[in-house]
Structures are given as structure tokens and as C-alpha cells.
Amino acid sequence: MKLLNLDHVAIAVADLDDAVAEYARQYGVAPLYREVVAEQGVEEAMIPVGGSFVQLLQPLSEETPVGRFLVKNGPGLHHVAYAVPSIGDALAHLKEEGVRLIDESPRIGGRGARIAFVHPKELAGTLIELVELDE
Ligand code: CMX
Ligand code: CO
């Protein structure tokens, strides 16, 4: 297991246009990517900050992970994502350690990255995403 860097910090928002506009107004930053990731039930905007991103997430409906989170908690921090060199190796290691995985095998997320989620009850109430990017 190796973590390469903090890929992104994700924030659930009710209105992506508003959140992007507020990041621009308050911090002078703008998204590098913006896309709908239907399989994850979100539209996302990726704002580069140094070598990492802030990922703003608007749910496509209430019947999605981020939709349920928003109804329950309102807008706020949703997950952290670590880049790994091999998501297959990372998942095999976590499985061996008995860590509860949400995704047993990788899915395709934004930017075409291979992603997988680890259950938030496994470590300090934090939803963790692993990301393997092509390079
Ligand atoms: N961070 C921390 N805890 C969370 C959480 C989050 N983001 N989302 C839910 N939880 C907690 C809940 O508070 C709840 O805790 P209690 O039982 O103590 O009340 C517990 O986890 C179960 O949650 P739930 O309300 O029943 O919520 P769900 O049925 O939606 O399941 C989870 C939660 C994490 C399994 C689901 O959100 C999931 O599969 N997430 C992974 C996929 C995802 O988040 N995709 C969107 C992002 C896509 C991207 O980054 O590209
Ligand atoms: Co994410």
C-alpha cells in the first residue's frame, strides 16, 4: 500500500453553479474540469489547489449517496481521496486487513480515473476514496 498524494477533498453542495461562483469570488480559483458522473449520481467540478483539487459535488437526485448526505447533513465535507499507484493492489491490501470496502473492484469516475470507496465507519468517520490516474 502506498499513498502518492491527496488527490482531492470533496464537498457536497446543493447548487454547483453557486458554489463555483463563490469559490471564484472568495478565493479567485476556477474549475479545471466539470462533468456529470452518472454512475456516482453527481455533477462535479474540480478546482485545482496546488497539486490537489477541491471537488465540488452536486447530487443528480436525492436517491444518491451525495443526495442522501445533503438531506441528512446539509452542505459540507463529504470525503477525502488519495491517489494510489495501483488501485487493485490497494484494494487487495485493505481486504487482507479486513477493512470494509464499499467497492470491491474499481469503477470509472471523473477524469476517467479508476476509483473505489472505503466505508466511513472504518476510520474516524471519514469516507475515503482511492484514485488511480493514468499517466
Ligand atoms: N462521510 C462520513 N460518514 C458518512 C458519509 C460520509 N460522506 N455518508 C454517510 N455516512 C454515515 C452516515 O452518517 C451513517 O452513519 P450512522 O449510521 O452513524 O447514522 C452511515 O454512514 C450510513 O449512511 P446512510 O445515511 O445509510 O447513507 P448511505 O446509504 O448513502 O450510505 C455510503 C453511505 C458511504 C455507503 C454511501 O454514501 C456510498 O456508497 N458512498 C460512496 C460513493 C459516493 O459517495 N459517491 C459520490 C462521490 C463520487 C466521486 O467522488 O466522484
Ligand atoms: Co471524489
Side-chain angles (χ1 to χ4, degrees), residues 40 44 55 65 68 72 78-79 102 117 120-121 125 129:
Q40 295 294 332
E44 63 182 52
Q55 178 181 63
R68 284 189 288 275
K72 198 168 165 184
H78 186 261
H79 64 268
I102 293 170
F117 286 87
K121 296 297 180 189
E129 177 184 356

Side-chain angles (χ1 to χ4, degrees), residues 26-40:
Q26 295 181 36
Y27 297 100
V29 292
L32 191 57
Y33 312 96
R34 182 166 169 158
E35 62 187 302
V36 171
V37 182
E39 197 188 1
Q40 295 294 332

Side-chain angles (χ1 to χ4, degrees), residues 33-68:
Y33 312 96
R34 182 166 169 158
E35 62 187 302
V36 171
V37 182
E39 197 188 1
Q40 295 294 332
V42 293
E43 181 171 359
E44 63 182 52
M46 297 292 272
I47 299 174
V49 180
S52 305
F53 291 88
V54 173
Q55 178 181 63
L56 300 175
L57 297 172
Q58 179 186 323
L60 298 178
S61 82
E62 280 188 8
E63 317 314 316
T64 60
V66 177
R68 284 189 288 275

